[in-house]
Amino acid sequence: MAEVELSLNERKVLLALSGKDGMQPEELQREGGFSQMVEVMSAASWLKSKGLLDIHERIETSYTLDREGRQHVERGELPEFTLLRAFKNADRLEASKLHEAGMPRGTVEIALGWLKRKGWVSVNKEGGKSFATITEEGKRRLAEGPLSEDLRLLKAVAGAGEGGLPEEEAKRLGPQALSLLLTRKGLLKARERHVRSLSLTEKGNKLAGSGLRVGEEITQLTPELLQSGRWKDAELRPYDVHTFAPASYGGKAHVLRESIARIRDIFLHMGFTEIRGDYVDSCFWNMDVLFIPQDHPARDAQDTFYMKNPARAEFPAELAEKVKKLHETGGDTGSEGWKYKWSEEEAHRTLLRTHTTVNTIRYLSEHPEPPVKVFSVGKVFRREATDPKHLAEFHQIEGIVMEEGANFRMLIGLIQEFYARMGFPEVRVRPSYFPYTEPSLEVVVNFDGKWMELGGAGIFRPEVTAPFGLKHPVLAWGLGLERLVMKRYGISDMRLLYMGDLEWMRKTPIL
Ligand code: PHE
């Protein structure tokens, strides 16, 4: 046989496998005294590329108990056996009376189904009523007790320990019982595991058995090799980019963190100051001050999370008086108001903020002097069903500019500038409506060929600015963070951002 060059690790793997049917890498690591699995797999894939070794992969299924399976094992019988006991003193029972067997509702029907399927009870109709009759097989089973083949298998699974009962074993114990148990919900959980096995090829076995002196292949040039001149005679291993090597990923920020940092950077560079606010606030600040009428659908408990504790929040009575007038008659703003009776009690209720506009209006109330340029990135809460584009908790990028002569064109320019700096020069704005702004706009961006709404903006109405005596226009916006991140990272399901999927986080390059 021609001389084959092997590294030390390859030689160790080759010898360990010699004369064996195959070994799992874990076993090999132990027996070969390798400190790391990488060494085994790297040597194995080199041997494979030299035609000396095969790597087989198969999927091994094992079973553990699911919730109901555990209950049945604890009780020591399956529900159908419990029902079968009802036939101890009577061969025939009216089906509707079976509930008297003392089983929870809903389970009787299922248990009866299994009794029929197992052929222990038969059901027939007579005069519009259903009757269940125990069969001869049923009587035999009743006498034998609850330990049927399927329960026995469940018990074996229960006793199998953490790794579960391997499928082969389960099939050996009761092939029919297994397929029966698998058709039932909540009894067994199947777990799949990839099992690798390494074995030598014929060529590999021959080499291992030939007692041939195997030359040593050098995988790394050392100063010692260079200085001594030994490198001249050494056999240097060529590169092979197809062999196994573990992927290595550095630590990095999550895509949401990265995006928030970028957004901060942009607003700070544009001369804005960052502000923060609390998650819990009053309806008063979150809605009433913003001229959202008390019968607005967004205030419905379907859309907003109200708090039980604390259930009530205070606010300045003087300000409440002004807000009440604005809602009812429009005060002296020239507005007609919403023309209804404003309830102070309603305004005292507490909620999880539904938008971060509550931050900016609170800030304005404390800083009514122009110019004001502030922004925030914060979490908001809405009672939404989650789907690829909606979450019940998400973040808004909020901001305002109050200065003399501020106008709608500036607002559009600001928003477009922000998105352009985020890498999206192609956002569009279109007319929209919010109770607190006039005019109002909506930002949309093309996503997968459809227009996706990214957020809203507008100029605060006089009904909002009047109570604070603000003299200049206030440009305001509230933009969704997660949707922007979806677009930024090409993610089609927003939920991915919160699933903690390590694999995905590692593989997603941070911008
Ligand atoms: N608060 C609005 C929302 O939650 C966004 C918005 C903010 C609209 C400021 C206009 C002005 O969608």
Side-chain angles (χ1 to χ4, degrees), residues 11-47:
R11 196 153 23 150
K12 279 207 288 189
V13 169
L14 192 81
L15 291 177
L17 285 174
S18 161
K20 298 222 173 76
D21 276 348
M23 269 170 116
Q24 290 182 16
E26 294 76 16
E27 240 180 310
L28 225 152
Q29 184 187 353
R30 241 179 294 120
E31 287 198 11
F34 291 100
S35 65
Q36 283 179 20
M37 179 56 78
V38 182
E39 297 175 308
V40 179
M41 290 315 291
S42 165
S45 61
W46 272 103
L47 288 171

Side-chain angles (χ1 to χ4, degrees), residues 290 354-357 360 382 394 396 398-400 434 436-437 440-441 453 455-460 475-479:
L290 287 166
T354 60
H355 54 183
T356 39
T357 318
T360 48
R382 291 184 194 173
F394 58 100
Q396 284 187 326
E398 189 90 24
I400 47 168
F434 300 97
Y436 34 97
T437 50
S440 308
L441 65 82
E453 196 204 313
I459 303 182
F460 278 158
L475 314 180
W477 57 91
L479 315 167

Side-chain angles (χ1 to χ4, degrees), residues 1 11 14-15 18 204-215:
M1 184 183 273
R11 196 153 23 150
L14 192 81
L15 291 177
S18 161
N205 263 319
K206 252 194 216 146
L207 182 67
S210 68
L212 258 185
R213 235 192 60 77
V214 279

